[in-house]
Amino acid sequence: MTNADAYFEELTALLREQRMPHERIETLVRELKAYAEEAGSEAHEEFGPPEVLAAQLTERDRAGSAGALEEPGSEAETWVWTADALKEERLLNHFGDQGWEVERLDRAGRFVCRRDARQPMRWEYRRERVGRGDRARLSERLAPEGWEPCGVWVWFAYYKRPEAVGAGPAARLAEPPAAPRERVYIAKWVYAWIAAWPVVASVLIWQGLRGLDSLSGVAGALVGLLLCVLAGAGLSLWWRRSGGAASKESPRR
């Protein structure tokens, strides 16, 4: 049994002792395992002692289901959202200025955020493109400036730090705005791109197949096939990034 297996086995046992539903335990443990694997770190280093994590998860679950806004008057609000890669860093800092702290990215690549209801603080974020083997070195380099990792998605690593590092007491929010109602921030051109590439690729393949007796025809067919593969990969990545079933849900709450 690996250290990770032992960690999550103990966590599962602790959550069962707290009478958390079996299905909920399976979901949480599966997501935490995936997060630790993507981050390339030991579970104990990433999440802390299993008994502490179990207590936190149990307390949060009792306050409200993960990914949903908690009722007014609770100790904290939680909110899950996603955006396309071109605008997400700007939105992270926009919402961070409203007191939203990213706790992690879920398996679909969505930002799982919370905001303290009593003493909300502003947060700032940065996104770095980095390979798996370079994440630890990057985190070590950024740590002296107050940056801490808060999630990984494909080749992007996300970091957060309280704005109080630079602004001091001014980083505290006296009257934070209402929680955002939108959960999906995907530009319309992204949908158009996903729809257009398969059409373009199909035309190239069709033209190529008509001229397979020539070098240019073969090249056209190969290019079309490559574009189909890229379009499929892009669609799959976008589907996971937007939460898969998000399109079945209303983006307003």
Side-chain angles (χ1 to χ4, degrees):
M1 180 183 295
T2 65
N3 291 337
D5 290 335
Y7 182 93
F8 289 113
E9 186 174 301
E10 183 178 354
L11 177 63
T12 299
L14 290 167
L15 292 175
R16 285 174 179 166
E17 290 178 5
Q18 297 296 326
R19 301 184 183 277
M20 183 178 287
H22 178 71
E23 296 78 8
R24 179 68 178 142
I25 294 175
E26 286 188 341
T27 299
L28 284 172
V29 172
R30 183 170 59 250
E31 289 187 353
L32 291 169
K33 279 183 178 179
Y35 180 87
E37 290 173 0
E38 290 176 357
S41 58
E42 291 289 335
H44 199 284
E45 295 178 359
E46 192 69 39
F47 306 118
E51 58 273 14
V52 175
L53 178 60
Q56 293 173 342
L57 293 173
T58 302
E59 181 181 355
R60 191 171 306 165
D61 237 46
R62 287 171 179 168
S65 60
L69 289 174
E70 298 182 4
E71 295 298 322
S74 62
E75 293 299 319
E77 298 172 288
T78 59
W79 172 52
V80 178
W81 63 280
T82 187
D84 61 65
L86 293 181
K87 65 174 66 172
E88 65 179 11
E89 191 171 10
R90 175 178 60 82
L91 288 174
L92 277 168
N93 283 293
H94 172 72
F95 295 130
D97 201 49
Q98 296 179 6
W100 291 101
E101 176 191 1
V102 173
E103 293 193 311
R104 60 187 176 87
L105 272 71
D106 65 14
R107 295 189 68 185
R110 297 172 298 184
F111 299 103
V112 180
C113 306
R114 74 185 299 275
R115 181 170 67 183
D116 192 298
R118 292 184 175 180
Q119 296 182 330
M121 298 288 291
R122 292 186 174 91
W123 290 82
E124 54 183 328
Y125 298 91
R126 64 187 294 167
R127 184 186 71 187
E128 300 288 342
R129 184 166 180 167
V130 64
R132 178 186 292 270
D134 298 324
R135 290 175 195 159
R137 288 192 293 272
L138 176 62
S139 297
E140 185 178 353
R141 179 171 62 83
L142 295 177
E145 300 175 23
W147 295 103
E148 60 177 295
C150 59
V152 175
W153 174 250
V154 192
W155 49 77
F156 290 133
Y158 300 85
Y159 293 84
K160 66 180 178 182
R161 71 178 179 184
E163 199 169 295
V165 171
R172 179 169 296 178
L173 281 167
E175 296 183 8
R181 300 180 66 188
E182 297 289 341
R183 295 178 59 191
V184 179
Y185 299 86
I186 306 291
K188 292 181 179 180
W189 69 265
V190 176
Y191 297 92
W193 179 87
I194 292 172
W197 271 119
V199 176
V200 174
S202 299
V203 170
L204 289 174
I205 291 177
W206 179 68
Q207 291 288 350
L209 291 175
R210 292 181 60 190
L212 282 179
D213 56 336
S214 67
L215 183 60
S216 61
V218 174
L222 291 175
V223 170
L225 181 60
L226 176 61
L227 288 175
C228 277
V229 172
L230 292 175
L235 180 60
S236 175
L237 189 62
W238 169 81
W239 181 254
R240 286 194 65 198
R241 185 65 164 143
S242 61
S247 60
K248 300 179 183 177
E249 304 174 359
S250 170
R252 295 190 177 274
R253 301 189 64 84

